[in-house]
Amino acid sequence: MIDHERDLAHVREATEKLLNAAASLDNAAAAEPSRLPGWTRGHVLAHVARNADALVNVLRGLPMYPDATTRDADIERDSGRPVDVHLADLRESADRFLSVGAEPADWSRTVELRNGVTDSASRIPFRRWVEVDLHHVDLGVGYELEDLPEEFTTREIAFLAERFSGLGSVPATVVRSGDGRTWTTGGESGGVTVTGPAPDLLGWLAGRRDGSALKAEGGPLPELPAL
């Protein structure tokens, strides 16, 4: 079962790590490219802050974003701010999310995210944890997929495998980590087994690595659609 209170604690811890990393940047470093194509580190920090507010909206039953154009414009608007402004915004938006997460609520209810996607409210804290920790990696400041908590890595692999399940463009695939844990994803046809270290599996599924460190048997490494 999903433990939203435990995940909120993980969010708090991951946020502090991200804030410490961001505090090590100067304004010039924040303006440098991140690991995400077309985004500076400032874009990443702005996105993480705005995502916190967007998930507050979700938990309150409001639209996650007014529309895609507004979401993108807000990130662009905030991307070039000085580091101290980024830090204040990151902390304040994180506090707003954690405050709403601490309110009494029916965590079994269904909520709506972007593009009509629905989920249990209980999984929103984990989704926030993913945003904070994966984008920490995206900053390119020394925090790598290998540094992510094991619980995070295994749960996110399972989440992404589920997300890609049933897609006709992805062949039926068994995803197996080096220690023998397995997940399945893809459509009904095919029969590919992809094996490798859990961080590399996560990187491939999350679009952060090209999969060159993985071994594919039964066919080529599947091409995954963008998240």
Side-chain angles (χ1 to χ4, degrees):
M1 293 182 62
I2 299 172
D3 185 342
H4 72 275
E5 292 184 349
R6 177 180 171 85
D7 285 342
L8 286 168
H10 287 313
V11 170
R12 186 181 300 277
E13 180 180 359
T15 299
E16 288 302 318
K17 290 190 295 184
L18 176 62
L19 284 166
N20 288 336
S24 71
L25 302 172
D26 58 22
N27 292 338
E32 291 174 351
S34 73
R35 291 176 173 174
L36 294 179
W39 272 15
T40 65
R41 292 188 177 113
H43 283 89
V44 174
L45 296 175
H47 168 62
V48 174
R50 300 287 67 78
N51 172 263
D53 287 335
L55 292 179
V56 166
N57 290 339
V58 169
L59 290 175
R60 287 179 170 163
L62 302 171
M64 187 171 181
Y65 297 100
D67 51 60
T69 300
T70 300
R71 170 188 176 273
D72 295 343
D74 286 349
I75 294 170
E76 190 64 38
R77 178 198 66 205
D78 294 343
S79 63
R81 301 175 300 180
V83 170
D84 61 338
V85 180
H86 277 301
L87 289 171
D89 190 19
L90 282 167
R91 185 172 293 282
E92 291 165 7
S93 59
D95 286 346
R96 287 191 290 270
F97 174 77
L98 291 169
S99 178
V100 171
E103 295 174 358
D106 174 13
W107 287 94
S108 66
R109 72 191 187 280
T110 298
V111 295
E112 184 171 343
L113 294 102
R114 295 177 64 200
N115 303 320
V117 173
T118 59
D119 204 350
S120 168
S122 63
R123 192 144 65 170
I124 297 305
F126 177 68
R127 284 179 175 269
R128 176 60 183 171
W129 186 15
V130 171
E131 291 288 328
V132 174
D133 250 353
L134 271 187
H135 286 313
H136 188 168
V137 174
D138 293 333
L139 286 178
V141 291
Y143 188 64
E144 305 296 342
L145 295 174
E146 286 77 9
D147 298 316
L148 293 167
E150 181 180 0
E151 177 186 350
F152 175 98
T153 299
T154 56
R155 288 178 63 187
E156 180 64 354
I157 290 173
F159 178 79
L160 292 172
E162 178 184 347
R163 182 170 180 171
F164 290 127
S165 292
L167 291 181
S169 60
V170 181
T173 304
V174 174
V175 178
R176 179 176 295 124
S177 63
D179 59 7
R181 287 172 294 183
T182 61
W183 302 264
T184 58
T185 193
E188 297 180 358
S189 61
V192 181
T193 298
V194 176
T195 306
D200 284 303
L201 291 172
L202 172 58
W204 170 60
L205 289 166
R208 266 65 178 184
R209 291 185 180 173
D210 61 10
S212 58
L214 304 175
K215 179 181 179 181
E217 299 177 293
L221 186 72
E223 293 187 15
L224 301 176
L227 292 172

